[in-house]
Structures are given as structure tokens and as C-alpha cells.
Amino acid sequence: MGRLWGPAMRAAEQAGCVVSASRADQPEEGLWSCSGVILNRSSGLVLCHGGIFTPFLRAGTGVLTAADATFLPGDSCGDDLRLHVQWGPTVANPAGRARQAIPGLCTPECASQESSPNAQPRGRPLEPPRPAELLLLLSCPAFRAQLARLYGGEAAEQWRFSSRAPEDEGWEDEEDLLRALGWFALLRVRPDQEAAPGDTAECGPPLAVAPFRALSKGTPLLACGSPFGTFCPDIFLNTLSRGVLSNAVGPLLLTDARCLPGTEGGGVFVARPAEALVALVAAPFCWKAREWVGLTLLCAAAPLLHVARGALLRLRPGSALLASQLPRVMGVRRALPLPAPELPWAAAAVLVECGTVWGSGVAVAPRLVITCRHVVPREKARVLVSFTIPRSAAIWGHVVFATQAMSPYDIAVVSLEKALDDVPMPVFAEQFHEGEAVSVVGFGVFGQACGPLVTSGILSAVVHVDDTPVMLQTTCAVHGGSSGGPLFSTHSGNLLGIVASNTRDNSTGATYPHLNFSIPITVLQPALQRYKETGDLCGFRQLDLATKSVRVVWQLQQPLTPRSKL
């Protein structure tokens, strides 16, 4: 981890900050805060989320939904707006302001009112909050268009973006949050009067920005934000979370890096090239049909900077110098090498549709797909199988086998009418190693709207019966629509199993996407080999004859105990 992520972690922490907004002389109205990215320390340019500015808009949040609204001038907010930005020291100047005998700051919520000049929270002193001015509010039109396509229309009733749980009160107040979801703000921190002239140590290295189109699904990402905003910055400032690029539609990106409220506006980085910024957090929480999805919504950084540069030149005459200090986006040639254009083993993941029901599957032979019984419940049913890598295509097939409803193994076999050309077939794993990095590929959350979703985690448990693996448990995020999809070893690309389900608490109805179960491929391999060689389904029919011990495992209960609540 150190070799891969060490430079990216340093770049993320040097670029991270927390932004607070308040009303002048009205502290009783509270404080609004979010995370931000320091674009240029020497000029004090900071990019953060626009949601904290909604209470200050002179014309109300309706101006954010205008079709032609791409940016708004800083005076769109009232004169009573007061902004402060707090960041940590640079690596070049680790002592930061503490060298100048200025105390490290710790908010009263997590420490005594008296701050110690010698205090070094998390091993480093913090910079005091600095006053800032709002230069402009901006958005990415392509991001907002994709947001409306994926989350709008009939789907809007299912989706929520909030730090509240669905059962909490106040969801009806979410309208302002939704209007500001795709908006960000460009700030300028006022110069530090006490900084020594020509002191470049405080500026740190320039921020690199990678083009989002150079990224592929499965690219490792590092998110940096401050959970809960200004609450306890000595503890939470620039908290890191790792994940992968799970999906992308233009500049709208999804990651399984886990972010919390207050990280809106935080930066998301890649390890290579050059520890570059690729996106900002738009919404850390996504709920669908009142269930937590466990993914974080991102907006690519490059188009935001393009809008910011044009808006500065248009709204602020004479700001050419300021606009030139915004980070430049790397050219595609320099931005590579990133990972391969797509994970080669992800090509085996397919979308399976049977009437109005859809799920995922995995191609295990050119004309053979494995999925779950609850996706295609009837033998001889006609199904449509779609794949997206290396090209988009759809092939009809029919179900040649489906386990019985009472079988612990939720499996169906689909024979295709035509072969899947140019799709690499996966290599079956022979052994399983708890703790190894794994990935799930499936069509959860959006179906075919933006291709397969990739989530990462570890193989957290291998359950054995009579020394034979019968269940795999992972920490990958698994959602409705992922059933039947493949579970791969991230490093070897070998097929480990078939995703069967995530976990639902029967007593509360809550779904846990990061606790899920897969059928080991070793359970299916003998039957698959027999069918491919002879066309005989008898090997699959043995799955209906699983022992009582195997049934107990898949019922998530111990013998002679009440029915499991999971």
C-alpha cells in the first residue's frame, strides 16, 4: 500500500481543506460546512461543494435549476455571507503556522476551550481558519444532464441523497439539497498577512488534474474529505477512504469509497499518474427505494475547472492572471499509464433479462451463461443476454436448467442461440484465500443504463461443510440487479463464484450491501465440465440434493434454533 498510495495520500492531504459559511453577526443561525480542494495555495484558490451556499442565495435555490445556468457570480449570495477555509500544513513545511507560535486549532466540541501552543493533533498542527471570498458558483452541464437522466423522471421517487436515514423526519426538506447537488463554488482565501514574502514552503507542490475519460472501471481511487465538516478538524480533517471507480457516465462517476456527511466537495485522487485529482465528491450518501446503496456520487474535476476558467474571464474583467492559476488538466498522453482500458475479466459479466425481471450473469463458455434462479425462474424460458465489452450486443437464449425453489444453491443455466464472440472466458479458481482482494461485477443499481458496476472488497469468509467450500462472503457492495454476477479475484482475475444475495434484516427491512454471499465456482465446476462435454444436466440436478448441513448454512441459522432474522 505504501508504494502505491503513499504519494497519493500526501497529495490528497496537502490539497484537502474544510470550508465553513456563516451569517455575519448571526451565529445563532448556525454554521454550514463542507470539504474542499486547494487548487493553488499561492493564489488561495479553493474549490468546494455549492450546497452550503443555498441559504445565502438572494434569489433562492430556483436559480440553480435554470436550464442555461452554468455559473453564477459571487454576489448571487447575500452580503452577510462569511466564509472561512481551514487546511493543514504542507509536507514542505510540516510545522506550518506553529513555527510562528500560533496555536493549533481544536474545536470546543472535542477538546477543552483552551488550545495548547504545543498541541499537535494527529501528529501535526492545524492552520487557523482563514477568511475567504466567494468568486463564483459553477456546475458541469454534462454532469447535471446525466444526473437528470439516471436519477430523474420516474426514478426520482426512488432516489435520495441525504445524511438522514429514510425513516428519519425531514426528507421533505431535501429539495434545496437536490437543486445544489451538481453545483460547486470557487473561493479565494485572503492573503496571510503574517506569511514571509517569497515563502514557497507553504505553497506545496502544484496540483495535478487527470482527465476523467482516461479512467476505466475498477481504477483504484483515494477519496479525501472531512467528515462532519468543521466538527473536530483535529480528528477528521482530510480523512482518507479507498475504493475503485465503480461506474461512469460522462463526468458523472460512482465509487465504492465510503464517504460521510461533510465530505461533499472533497477531492478524489488516483495513485497514477502523478497522484492526480480526478473528481470531487457530489454526494456521499445514496439511497434507493429507502435502502442504502453504499456508493458515493462524484463529479469529474476537469470539466469543473474548464467552466471555472471561462466564468472567471467573463465575470471578472482583468482576471486572466487568476484564471491562469487554476490547475491545468493533463493531456491524455501524459495522463496514462492508467490501468488497462477495461478489466479483462469484467468482460464476462452480462445482463440477463427475462420479461420484466433482470439481473446479472457470467459467461463461462461462448454459448453458456450462469445466473441465479430468481433472475430466470423457469426452465425453457427465453431470455435476452446483453454484454458491453468489447462492444455492446444482445443474444437470445433459453434456460436449460434452474435449481428448485428449496435448493440452497440459487443457480440457473442459460444456453445461447449464438456464441459470444471476442469475449474472454474466465479461468475458474481452485482455491480461496480469506482476506484476498476481490471484485464484484454486475448490473446492479442502474441496469444497462451505464454498463456493469464494479465494486471492490475482500473475501471476508469461506464457509466449509465437510472441508468443502459451500459459501463465500465478501465486503464488496452488492445491490439489487447484481444477482448472478461474477465474483473475481482482483489480482489474478480468476472467477471465484456467483453472487447470490446481499443481506436483509427481516426484523427492520434494512439491507446491508457490504455483507453478501456467493456460490463458490468449485461447487459448479464439475457440472459445468460435464455439460460442456456431453450436454448432460445430471451434474446440475445434484445441486437440488445438497445435504442438510449445506441447507442450514444458506438459511443463515444453526440447527434447532429459531428462524434467522437475516
Side-chain angles (χ1 to χ4, degrees):
M1 175 180 172
R3 290 183 179 179
L4 176 65
W5 287 109
M9 291 169 62
R10 289 191 292 272
E13 290 185 324
Q14 290 178 43
C17 65
V18 63
V19 179
S20 62
S22 61
R23 294 190 186 278
D25 303 322
Q26 298 183 45
E28 69 280 357
E29 289 199 13
L31 192 72
W32 294 264
S33 62
C34 68
S35 300
V37 176
I38 305 168
L39 302 177
N40 188 318
R41 287 206 185 208
S42 62
S43 58
L45 292 177
V46 170
L47 191 61
C48 73
H49 198 265
I52 64 172
F53 296 91
T54 56
F56 303 93
L57 288 169
R58 299 179 191 269
T61 57
V63 297
L64 304 179
T65 60
D68 58 346
T70 302
F71 53 84
L72 297 170
D75 59 9
S76 298
C77 291
D79 296 333
D80 58 347
L81 171 64
R82 296 294 181 268
L83 293 174
H84 287 85
V85 176
Q86 185 174 20
W87 57 52
T90 65
V91 172
N93 185 11
R97 300 279 289 152
R99 287 185 177 176
Q100 302 173 38
I102 295 180
L105 178 70
C106 182
T107 55
E109 291 90 341
C110 54
S112 64
Q113 296 283 351
E114 298 179 1
S115 52
S116 168
N118 298 318
Q120 295 191 12
R122 287 171 60 181
R124 63 193 178 190
L126 295 181
E127 298 283 345
R130 304 185 184 189
E133 64 172 318
L134 174 63
L135 298 180
L136 56 95
L137 295 169
L138 65 149
S139 69
C140 171
F143 174 89
R144 291 169 59 196
Q146 295 295 352
L147 188 69
R149 183 176 75 88
L150 294 174
Y151 299 97
E154 296 180 359
E157 293 297 321
Q158 293 185 310
W159 286 97
R160 293 291 184 271
F161 303 90
S162 176
S163 59
R164 300 186 183 95
E167 62 272 13
D168 294 344
E169 296 180 359
W171 280 76
E172 63 278 2
D173 299 329
E174 201 184 39
E175 186 174 357
D176 286 348
L177 172 65
L178 292 175
R179 289 175 172 175
L181 198 60
W183 283 83
F184 295 82
L186 183 65
L187 319 178
R188 180 168 56 184
V189 177
R190 293 172 185 165
D192 184 0
Q193 301 299 324
E194 300 185 31
D199 184 7
T200 59
E202 176 139 340
C203 297
L207 183 66
V209 179
F212 67 94
R213 298 189 188 280
L215 302 180
S216 63
K217 293 178 185 179
T219 299
L221 299 177
L222 183 73
C224 179
S226 300
F228 319 117
T230 54
F231 177 75
C232 284
D234 55 339
I235 297 175
F236 297 118
L237 181 70
N238 296 339
T239 297
L240 304 175
S241 177
R242 285 195 299 162
V244 299
L245 178 62
S246 296
N247 221 328
V249 189
L252 188 152
L253 315 177
L254 285 173
T255 179
D256 59 358
R258 303 178 196 181
C259 298
L260 294 172
T263 59
E264 300 93 338
V268 180
F269 297 77
V270 288
R272 299 187 182 95
E275 305 80 48
L277 175 74
V278 294
L280 276 74
V281 174
F285 273 150
C286 296
W287 301 81
K288 184 180 182 183
R290 303 181 69 82
E291 295 179 354
W292 180 43
V293 173
L295 298 176
T296 298
L297 182 66
L298 311 176
C299 179
L304 289 175
L305 292 174
H306 176 75
V307 172
R309 190 170 287 108
L312 279 176
L313 295 174
R314 179 175 175 181
L315 294 176
R316 301 175 69 92
S319 62
L321 178 60
L322 192 62
S324 69
Q325 293 174 332
L326 291 170
R328 292 288 177 179
V329 179
M330 299 176 182
V332 174
R333 182 179 299 273
R334 183 187 168 199
L336 299 173
L338 283 166
E342 288 289 351
L343 302 171
W345 34 264
V350 298
L351 176 72
V352 180
E353 298 175 89
C354 183
T356 59
V357 179
W358 57 270
S360 302
V362 55
V364 294
R367 298 183 65 168
L368 198 64
V369 167
I370 298 294
T371 184
C372 282
R373 175 193 63 240
H374 69 266
V375 176
V376 287
R378 304 184 314 278
E379 291 189 16
K380 299 183 180 180
R382 199 159 187 253
V383 299
L384 185 64
V385 174
S386 305
F387 60 98
T388 60
I389 304 171
R391 56 186 174 82
S392 296
I395 298 175
W396 285 99
H398 63 279
V399 181
V400 296
F401 173 78
T403 52
Q404 296 177 7
M406 296 304 294
S407 173
Y409 294 123
D410 185 351
I411 286 294
V413 182
V414 177
S415 177
L416 302 179
E417 296 177 358
K418 296 191 301 182
L420 290 170
D421 296 327
D422 304 323
V423 175
M425 296 298 111
V427 176
F428 294 173
E430 297 179 354
Q431 295 179 326
F432 309 101
H433 306 283
E434 291 183 352
E436 73 171 303
V438 295
S439 299
V440 166
V441 186
F443 289 81
V445 184
F446 295 120
Q448 202 176 15
C450 51
L453 184 81
V454 180
T455 57
S456 61
I458 64 168
L459 184 60
S460 51
V462 181
V463 181
H464 293 78
V465 171
D466 297 330
D467 296 325
T468 300
V470 298
M471 173 192 282
L472 306 178
Q473 179 183 319
T474 85
T475 61
C476 301
V478 167
H479 315 93
S482 298
S483 297
L487 170 68
F488 290 108
S489 166
T490 303
H491 296 308
S492 70
N494 290 348
L495 178 63
L496 301 178
I498 307 300
V499 176
S501 70
N502 54 20
T503 308
R504 179 187 295 273
D505 188 327
N506 290 326
S507 61
T508 65
T511 297
Y512 306 109
H514 294 96
L515 177 60
N516 48 80
F517 309 100
S518 297
I519 301 168
I521 194 62
T522 51
V523 171
L524 307 176
Q525 187 173 8
L528 283 168
Q529 188 66 28
R530 182 174 180 177
Y531 179 75
K532 286 190 289 186
E533 291 178 354
T534 67
D536 187 355
L537 292 168
C538 289
F540 289 113
R541 301 203 186 282
Q542 292 297 314
L543 299 175
D544 292 329
L545 305 178
T547 66
K548 182 178 180 180
S549 297
V550 175
R551 294 175 185 272
V552 167
V553 167
W554 279 95
Q555 289 168 356
L556 303 183
Q557 67 183 52
Q558 297 294 327
L560 305 179
T561 62
R563 178 176 178 267
S564 171
K565 75 170 187 172
L566 294 180

